[in-house]
């Protein structure tokens, strides 16, 4: 879609070092387009085209990312860590490519908007790092839990105000409103073919809304949250195996920290793939659940409130339910949100996530017992 020459021209809008020697696509992201930029005489960089259809306020999003990464860098420094590796580094615009209006505008130095309404951003590529699509050992899940536990702990005293980058992102009341509209609209004429799947959403509607009411009333507190903690959004140190940092901060917002636990469990504990067409491969590994919970609670057990601990295991069901809903809704809408590699892709994803949800429900008592064990 973009040739290397075009991409190299975009890179020139940013304050980078070295001469560009190559730009290649990177990663399996469902939303943005990501590239890795190699240079001679300078470091490697990540270039991203942010999806402006999904994120309506890119300047607001970049302001969030800048504020959160600055805070994290300070914390890492205080603890004697390496702020260039343990937090993302946002690359700013090259001053002489900016108009006076851009220089004045909010977050104007954090992104480049090209003539075709594409929004581009750059960050530093962190060398000596690894990312995974799937957690294959409890040791990795444990380290992942430590990583997000630490992330939340470092952000506990963040006092800035964060913009809402996607309206009602993990708000199931809003998602169900969107769902009802999608069914009524039936834009792709697919609603009648997913009766069985629709029943999965309806049968759990009430319990999910009851949970969210606790967030709405303030019984469950708001914190700074990442909101997209699946394993592929975490960088691990290739030598020690420890988490370096969480990447993809596009959805960093104020919400319940339970989202971050729940979404990680959805990702780390799945014995199959997120879009596994073979449902017999999909289940929740209780061993992986234990390992992640142990790591996470190492940092969080003294800070979480009683009600957060009480709903921690439930948050995995909540986020997985939401993911079934979002994939199914996108199928009904005709695949307008997620990148899909075939016409049935979103339906396959929804079915696989529902299987995972059923597996969590079947093991819920054990999940709760494990949370209690590591809460002490
Ligand atoms: C999307 O962009 P990516 O791949 O990190 C999505 C998440 C979903 C995830 C499912 C902004 O994440 O909410 O959980 O796909 N991000 C957005 O894999 O919708
Ligand atoms: Mg993302």
């Amino acid at each position: 879609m973009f040739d290397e020459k075009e991409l190299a021209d975009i890179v020139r809008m940013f304050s980078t070092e070295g001469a560009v020697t190559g730009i290649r696509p990177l990663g399996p992201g469902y939303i943005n387009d990501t590239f890795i930029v190699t240079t001679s005489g300078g470091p490697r960089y990540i270039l991203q085209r942010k999806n402006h259809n999904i994120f309506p306020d890119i300047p607001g999003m970049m302001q969030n990312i800048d504020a959160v990464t600055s805070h994290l860098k300070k914390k890492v420094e205080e603890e004697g860590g390496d702020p260039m590796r343990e937090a993302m580094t946002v690359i700013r615009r090259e001053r002489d490519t900016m108009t006076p209006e851009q220089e004045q505008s909010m977050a104007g130095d954090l992104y480049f908007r090209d003539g075709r309404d594409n929004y581009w951003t750059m960050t530093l590529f962190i060398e000596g790092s690894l990312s995974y699509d799937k957690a294959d050992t409890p040791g990795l899940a444990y380290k992942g839990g430590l990583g997000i536990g630490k992330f939340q702990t470092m952000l506990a005293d963040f006092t800035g105000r964060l913009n809402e980058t996607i309206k009602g992102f993990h708000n199931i009341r809003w998602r169900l409103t969107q769902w009802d509209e999608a069914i009524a609209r039936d834009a792709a004429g697919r609603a009648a073919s997913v009766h069985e799947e629709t029943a999965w959403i309806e049968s759990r509607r009430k319990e999910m809304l009851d949970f969210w009411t606790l967030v709405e009333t303030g019984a469950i507190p708001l914190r700074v949250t990442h909101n997209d903690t699946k394993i592929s959004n975490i960088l691990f140190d290739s030598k020690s195996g420890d988490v370096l940092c969480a990447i993809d901060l596009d959805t960093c917002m104020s919400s319940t920290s339970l989202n971050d636990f729940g979404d990680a469990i959805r990702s780390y504990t799945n014995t199959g793939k997120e879009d596994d067409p073979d449902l017999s491969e999909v289940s929740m590994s209780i061993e992986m659940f234990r390992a992640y919970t142990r790591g996470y609670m190492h940092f969080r057990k003294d800070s979480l409130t009683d009600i957060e601990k009480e709903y921690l295991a439930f948050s995995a069901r909540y986020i997985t339910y939401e993911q079934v809903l979002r994939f199914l809704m996108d199928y009904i809408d005709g695949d307008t949100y997620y990148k899909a590699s075939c016409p049935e892709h979103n339906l396959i994803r929804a079915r696989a996530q529902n299987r995972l949800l059923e597996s969590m429900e079947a093991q819920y008592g054990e999940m709760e017992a494990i949370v209690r064990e590591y809460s002490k």
Side-chain angles (χ1 to χ4, degrees), residues 142-311:
Y142 171 68
K143 294 210 160 174
L146 286 175
I148 289 298
K150 190 171 172 201
F151 176 85
Q152 290 185 348
T153 300
M154 288 195 292
L155 287 166
D157 61 348
F158 178 89
T159 49
R161 215 191 60 80
L162 293 173
N163 302 299
E164 191 176 28
T165 56
I166 296 185
K167 179 178 152 73
F169 192 54
H170 288 311
N171 172 344
I172 210 68
R173 197 177 303 285
W174 171 241
R175 292 294 183 190
L176 283 161
T177 301
Q178 292 179 315
W179 164 263
D180 291 337
E181 286 169 6
I183 299 273
R185 204 171 39 233
D186 195 13
R190 290 169 166 175
S193 67
V194 290
H195 268 311
E196 190 190 332
E197 291 82 358
T198 300
W200 300 337
I201 302 302
E202 297 307 331
S203 65
R204 297 171 176 94
R205 185 187 277 256
K206 183 173 178 309
E207 64 179 357
M208 297 301 164
L209 285 170
D210 286 348
F211 165 76
W212 194 252
T213 303
L214 297 171
V215 177
E216 289 167 328
T217 59
I220 293 177
L222 296 181
R223 302 180 187 273
V224 178
T225 49
H226 180 283
N227 293 306
D228 193 5
T229 47
K230 65 180 182 187
I231 189 166
S232 58
N233 283 336
I234 307 296
L235 285 189
F236 295 82
D237 185 289
S238 52
K239 283 211 188 87
S240 69
D242 294 340
V243 168
L244 283 171
C245 62
I247 50 174
D248 189 0
L249 301 175
D250 298 357
T251 50
C252 250
M253 284 181 263
S254 172
S255 188
T256 159
S257 68
L258 297 178
N259 297 342
D260 288 353
F261 181 82
D263 198 41
I265 295 302
R266 180 184 74 78
S267 156
Y268 283 78
T269 68
N270 190 347
T271 55
K273 291 187 298 211
E274 189 182 64
D275 58 354
D276 216 311
D278 180 355
L279 295 184
S280 70
E281 292 289 326
V282 178
S283 65
M284 189 200 75
S285 156
I286 197 78
E287 196 194 1
M288 298 293 263
F289 179 83
R290 172 180 287 281
Y292 190 92
T293 306
R294 185 163 73 87
Y296 178 77
M297 288 307 248
H298 173 82
F299 280 102
R300 300 305 295 153
K301 73 167 190 279
D302 296 329
S303 311
L304 294 181
T305 61
D306 288 345
I307 190 161
E308 286 177 298
K309 289 177 185 164
E310 187 184 333
Y311 282 92

Side-chain angles (χ1 to χ4, degrees), residues 1-12 20-25 35-36 38 47:
M1 190 178 167
F2 298 95
D3 64 38
E4 223 173 295
K5 156 95 179 52
E6 274 176 286
L7 294 171
D9 287 343
I10 292 159
V11 170
R12 261 189 282 284
V20 172
T21 53
I23 306 179
R24 305 264 174 277
F35 304 87
I36 180 161
T38 45
L47 170 69

